[in-house]
Amino acid sequence: LVNMYGKCGNLDAARSVFDEMLQRNVVSWNAMITAYAQNGFLDEAKNVFDEAPQRDVVSWNGMLAAYAQNGYVEAARTTFDNMPQRNLVSWNAMLAAYAQHGHLDDARSLFHKMPQRNVVSWNTMISGYGQKGNPEGARALFDKMSQRGVVSWNTMIAAYTQNGQGREALELFHQMQLDGVNPSKITFISILDACSCLAALAQGKQIHANVVDTGFESDVVVGTALVNMYGKCGSLNDARSVFDKMPQRDIVSWTAMMGAYVQNGRGKETLELFENMLLECLLPDKVTFITVLDACANLASLIEGKECHANIVKSGFESDIVVGNA
């Protein structure tokens, strides 16, 4: 129950169940530590950790992961150094703390000191190299892996895409297919982003066909990536066709379709779509407002611009510097 309430974000209920337990063992204490840690309540997690009558490696890993995920790299390292024993989860958590927060030299040093590594260790390092703008270093590690899962391929494709190397991302995607690795929705999101950056419409359409074949077309995030890709490639009819067929749309989907219109000089259609979105009772976010203001500017439409300004004030985004600049 503590674990369930923690994963659902209901920490009051989790703590209530924990406090009412007549007997607690190390699993109970670990569940409460994890519940606080997963929801960003680090002080409360540390208090429970300190109060625990006994701790095991899971207890220590819970605190280590909490610090790592929230960017407290020094606290994570102190916890790691104080652990009476460590397992592979401990090493990977510390590795992720370094790699995900830009400490690539420290990550590399730790990676070489690890008594054992698994695919998670390698993927973490590949991601770290990608985030630091070094896809070549990421690829060198990728090529050394004895085993690769779909996450490894996705991580390497993302490293290329994040660094503007769309052609290399497409080549790796084709190699992934030749190796018989089934793409996931994350694969498609990354590779469609690569097509967007290259304005590679032909390749984008091929990947769209792969999306349909694998059943991911109904996924809202993949659908949004398709809309974005077609918009960047100037194929507005295809973008709108995907948008209209989406079984579910969120604010990002609507904004992507508006962005496609704006990028291709179709401000009138942007404003019409914005009105339709409001009729469906969806609340715009700041990216939506920036897109609509771009459309108003392109049309030199002062009336619609003032109406949008009024909506911005109502939504509380007027103080946002990016919205203000728009």
Side-chain angles (χ1 to χ4, degrees):
L1 281 169
V2 172
N3 180 56
M4 182 273 292
Y5 281 124
K7 288 185 175 177
C8 293
N10 192 338
L11 295 179
D12 288 339
R15 186 62 197 238
S16 177
V17 171
F18 179 78
D19 288 341
E20 290 172 6
M21 293 175 72
L22 297 179
Q23 289 185 309
R24 304 184 193 115
N25 58 17
V26 68
V27 176
S28 318
W29 288 88
N30 288 347
M32 196 64 245
I33 292 167
T34 302
Y36 279 132
Q38 287 175 340
N39 289 279
F41 290 84
L42 301 189
D43 290 341
E44 291 82 353
K46 184 65 163 60
N47 288 339
V48 175
F49 178 82
D50 289 340
E51 292 168 8
Q54 61 181 122
R55 307 177 193 127
D56 59 11
V57 70
V58 177
S59 320
W60 286 89
N61 286 345
M63 283 308 306
L64 173 56
Y67 287 130
Q69 290 163 8
N70 287 278
Y72 295 95
V73 178
E74 291 185 11
R77 184 63 203 231
T78 299
T79 302
F80 181 79
D81 289 340
N82 288 334
M83 293 179 74
Q85 61 180 141
R86 308 180 188 115
N87 59 14
L88 185 55
V89 174
S90 319
W91 286 89
N92 281 340
M94 192 63 238
L95 188 69
Y98 281 140
Q100 291 170 4
H101 295 94
H103 300 263
L104 192 57
D105 290 340
D106 292 319
R108 189 186 301 112
S109 175
L110 191 73
F111 181 75
H112 290 303
K113 291 176 183 175
M114 292 177 74
Q116 63 180 123
R117 306 176 191 129
N118 63 3
V119 68
V120 175
S121 319
W122 289 86
N123 291 346
T124 300
M125 286 302 299
I126 292 167
S127 178
Y129 274 105
Q131 290 173 18
K132 287 291 281 186
N134 187 353
E136 294 79 16
R139 184 58 188 262
L141 280 175
F142 180 81
D143 288 340
K144 289 178 183 176
M145 293 181 74
S146 57
Q147 289 183 309
R148 306 182 191 113
V150 66
V151 176
S152 310
W153 290 88
N154 290 348
T155 306
M156 190 61 237
I157 289 170
Y160 279 137
T161 303
Q162 290 162 1
N163 289 282
Q165 297 189 11
R167 295 198 183 281
E168 290 81 355
L170 283 168
E171 288 171 5
L172 191 65
F173 176 69
H174 293 314
Q175 185 61 52
M176 176 183 176
Q177 291 178 306
L178 290 173
D179 282 12
V181 180
N182 292 323
S184 67
K185 82 172 192 176
I186 302 299
T187 317
F188 286 123
I189 292 164
S190 290
I191 204 63
L192 286 167
D193 191 26
C195 293
S196 298
C197 294
L198 294 169
L201 181 59
Q203 291 94 328
K205 286 193 170 188
Q206 290 174 357
I207 291 163
H208 187 178
N210 293 149
V211 168
V212 173
D213 290 341
T214 50
F216 284 113
E217 193 176 27
S218 61
D219 182 272
V220 66
V221 184
V222 176
T224 301
L226 282 166
V227 170
N228 183 58
M229 182 274 294
Y230 280 125
K232 292 279 179 67
C233 293
S235 185
L236 291 178
N237 288 338
D238 286 317
R240 187 57 190 255
S241 175
V242 171
F243 179 79
D244 287 340
K245 290 176 183 175
M246 291 176 71
Q248 289 182 309
R249 306 183 195 111
D250 59 14
I251 188 62
V252 182
S253 315
W254 285 86
T255 303
M257 190 64 237
M258 287 182 233
Y261 280 135
V262 168
Q263 290 157 13
N264 290 278
R266 303 275 283 272
K268 182 180 177 183
E269 288 88 340
T270 304
L271 296 180
E272 288 173 355
L273 196 64
F274 180 62
E275 290 298 325
N276 291 338
M277 189 193 83
L278 294 178
L279 289 173
E280 296 204 10
C281 300
L282 274 172
L283 295 175
D285 63 13
K286 74 174 187 178
V287 180
T288 314
F289 282 126
I290 292 166
T291 305
V292 173
L293 288 169
D294 281 347
C296 294
N298 292 341
L299 292 169
S301 179
L302 183 59
I303 294 173
E304 283 83 356
K306 285 190 171 184
E307 288 176 358
C308 185
H309 187 184
N311 279 322
I312 288 168
V313 173
K314 286 179 186 176
S315 302
F317 285 111
E318 193 177 27
S319 60
D320 184 275
I321 188 167
V322 182
V323 175
N325 289 339

